[in-house]
Amino acid sequence: MTTGVQTAEQLTLTDEESQLLQQGLIEWSGPARCTEEFAVAMGFDDADDLNRRGARIRTALAAKEPLEPMDWARALLATELAFASEIVGSGYEWSTTTGWSDDMTVKVLRSTQLKLIRTVTPLVGRGLGTRRPAS
């Protein structure tokens, strides 16, 4: 398991892969329609946190700064959902709003997933994809 903060370069992500993650996060400020529950499942505190933290993650990606494993997971899952889901994500509008064709998105997304899998998979059920404990 990979731990600690890592840059895209350390994870061998290309600029294109980093740009895809940035675009996936941007979609949540546009055509994607997030619910509180989906935001929490993606590792955010709520939909407002998705917008705030998502902007910070995008800025860090653009600046090639290191991210915590949970932020890599948030970026990847947010991108996967924004791209694929017609119900809450951009769905069919993805290529129109991003300029990324579906074919190119799938190709870049698959390579990104392979590079991040060891970093993000250990977080499933540990803050990612789960309900928050009752306070």
Side-chain angles (χ1 to χ4, degrees):
M1 174 171 92
T2 306
T3 59
V5 296
Q6 290 184 292
T7 64
E9 183 177 73
Q10 290 169 316
L11 292 166
T12 69
L13 264 67
T14 64
D15 288 343
E16 190 174 49
E17 291 162 339
S18 177
Q19 290 166 3
L20 177 65
L21 295 175
Q22 292 170 59
Q23 190 62 56
L25 288 162
I26 288 170
E27 288 299 285
W28 293 102
S29 298
R33 299 155 299 280
C34 195
T35 65
E36 298 297 312
E37 294 82 2
F38 268 101
V40 170
M42 288 188 285
F44 297 94
D45 293 337
D46 53 34
D48 286 337
D49 186 47
L50 166 60
N51 290 322
R52 280 189 311 276
R53 192 183 313 249
R56 285 195 300 271
I57 294 169
R58 287 193 324 263
T59 299
L61 285 166
K64 300 183 182 204
E65 295 172 355
L67 292 170
E68 294 284 342
M70 184 58 92
D71 285 335
W72 286 113
R74 289 176 177 119
L76 181 59
L77 191 52
T79 300
E80 292 168 340
L81 257 169
F83 167 64
S85 178
E86 183 63 26
I87 297 171
V88 297
S90 299
Y92 284 106
E93 295 177 26
W94 174 268
S95 61
T96 302
T97 60
T98 67
W100 287 69
S101 71
D102 285 357
D103 290 344
M104 180 58 104
T105 300
V106 169
K107 178 184 172 208
V108 176
L109 183 59
R110 290 291 181 234
S111 64
T112 305
Q113 289 168 328
L114 287 172
K115 292 176 182 180
L116 292 179
I117 195 75
R118 290 179 56 189
T119 300
V120 302
T121 300
L123 301 171
V124 174
R126 295 188 174 114
L128 185 66
T130 58
R131 287 182 270 181
R132 298 273 189 255
S135 334

